[in-house]
Amino acid sequence: MADLPGIVVTGASGRMGQMLVRTIGASDKARLVGCVERSGHAWVGRDIGECMGGAAVGVVVTDDPLEAFAKAQAVIDFTAPAATVEFAALAAQARAVHVIGTTGLEAAHLAKIEAAARHAVIVRAGNMSLGVNLLVRLTQKIAAALDEDWDVEIVEAHHRMKVDAPSGTALMLGQAAAEGRGVDLEAAMDSGRHGITGARKRGAIGFAAVRGGDIVGEHDVIFAADGERVILRHVATDRAIFARGALRAAIWGQGAKPGQYDMMDVLGL
Ligand SMILES: NC(=O)C1=CN([C@@H]2O[C@H](COP(=O)(O)OP(=O)(O)OC[C@H]3O[C@@H](n4cnc5c(N)ncnc54)[C@H](OP(=O)(O)O)[C@@H]3O)[C@@H](O)[C@H]2O)C=CC1
Ligand SMILES: O=C(O)C1=N[C@H](C(=O)O)C[C@H](O)C1
């Protein structure tokens, strides 16, 4: 047991944090060695098992990330951009693999994560599920096969608490479509239409976001031409798919050289 990789979960009280604690607890390939929450959070100083309404598991939630990371081989982090940037530097300092699921990262955040990856293994993906990563590959292939007579639209739907748009997954799918077509996503992106928009621009890659209820995550990639449409769809019904992918990444990262990786590397896609 002691030689299994020890994992710390940041944002342990969150939707994904709790799912990760359960997934690691049930795994025979890794063990939970730490949980981090921000200072002042009601769970700090308490056993994570009891916080989640069960029996004690011997892991007390801390607000000192470096102390927790120093005892771990990997950190799994589904929090928020500012926190993730801070955790990237600390995980690198502790030489722990940093698995980043956080979305909504902007250029300044990404630059800091890239800097941390010079000294440590970072695996980052806007979606850690096998199904979505397969869909990314399919999107790239179909976009490469079809010309700009086929309009690309990405429609995503998530729960009412999601704070960023387009979703990290939608951006991965958009990037795949852009790569398939050999264009730059930033230049092709058409996001958040409203008012008199004018006709659709040829070659645009469109994004639309639905927010409501408890939707876990749904993504459609629509290729629309005159007279026909191809629609690729992924529907997540359980956050366990993301937690399983993140745990797989944390274990995979143990053998890797410092650098930044994604789920394609982990899954060998
Ligand atoms: N890549 C993937 O496969 C997936 C990615 N995600 C992404 O993961 C992120 C989290 O999603 P979700 O779990 O739904 O969100 P939640 O809001 O439920 O959880 C986020 C957690 O992070 C905590 N947190 C924020 N800042 C800090 C900090 N500085 N120190 C410690 N803890 C902190 C929050 O605490 P507090 O409440 O106190 O702010 C909260 O507990 C989002 O970016 C989401 O898009 C989600 C699912 C899958
Ligand atoms: O916030 C979420 O919930 C999710 N976020 C990720 C995203 O932004 O794509 C992955 C998944 O769709 C759930």
Side-chain angles (χ1 to χ4, degrees):
M1 186 75 177
D3 51 1
L4 295 179
I7 315 268
V8 169
V9 174
T10 57
S13 74
R15 278 174 289 274
M16 278 306 300
Q18 294 193 48
M19 181 57 76
L20 285 157
V21 167
R22 281 193 288 275
T23 302
I24 299 164
S27 170
D28 58 4
K29 296 192 173 66
R31 64 203 163 94
L32 184 70
V33 296
C35 285
V36 175
E37 259 302 339
R38 66 167 97 234
S39 298
H41 192 281
W43 287 17
V44 171
R46 296 178 55 206
D47 187 281
I48 185 68
E50 289 176 348
C51 291
M52 289 171 55
V57 296
V59 174
V60 172
V61 180
T62 179
D63 58 3
D64 183 343
L66 187 55
E67 185 205 39
F69 296 180
K71 292 183 228 146
Q73 281 68 56
V75 175
I76 305 186
D77 176 18
F78 287 65
T79 55
T84 288
V85 163
E86 185 197 326
F87 295 148
L90 297 176
Q93 205 177 318
R95 297 288 182 267
V97 171
H98 188 193
V99 178
I100 301 177
T102 307
T103 59
L105 297 160
E106 293 175 346
H109 303 119
L110 294 173
K112 289 184 180 151
I113 291 169
E114 191 60 49
R118 282 190 223 121
H119 312 286
V121 176
I122 295 182
V123 183
R124 184 178 69 81
N127 195 305
M128 302 268 172
S129 79
L130 173 60
V132 157
N133 283 277
L134 282 172
L135 190 71
V136 166
R137 279 284 176 258
L138 289 173
T139 299
Q140 191 180 7
K141 275 191 193 291
I142 294 177
L146 300 174
D147 66 16
E148 291 187 349
D149 287 344
W150 293 77
D151 298 326
V152 182
E153 291 285 316
I154 297 167
V155 183
E156 51 111 335
H158 284 88
H159 53 95
R160 62 166 76 91
M161 301 306 289
K162 184 160 179 64
V163 297
D164 56 307
S167 69
T169 311
L171 292 171
M172 285 167 69
L173 293 164
Q175 183 61 37
E179 278 169 20
R181 278 197 168 165
V183 299
D184 177 45
L185 178 60
E186 290 234 342
M189 182 183 252
D190 189 356
S191 187
R193 295 185 187 102
H194 181 86
I196 309 295
T197 59
R200 192 181 198 285
K201 211 169 120 202
R202 186 175 165 83
I205 298 178
F207 289 79
V210 174
R211 294 289 176 265
D214 63 355
I215 302 169
V216 173
E218 301 183 4
H219 293 86
D220 280 7
V221 185
I222 304 169
F223 294 88
D226 290 342
E228 57 183 326
R229 265 176 291 161
V230 174
I231 304 174
L232 303 180
R233 168 171 296 172
H234 182 268
V235 178
T237 55
D238 188 340
R239 289 187 176 83
I241 61 172
F242 312 128
R244 283 199 295 267
L247 179 55
R248 187 165 169 172
I251 294 167
W252 175 89
Q254 300 305 311
K257 292 198 182 107
Q260 199 174 163
Y261 301 90
D262 61 20
M263 283 306 284
M264 299 297 176
D265 299 307
V266 174
L267 298 169
L269 294 175

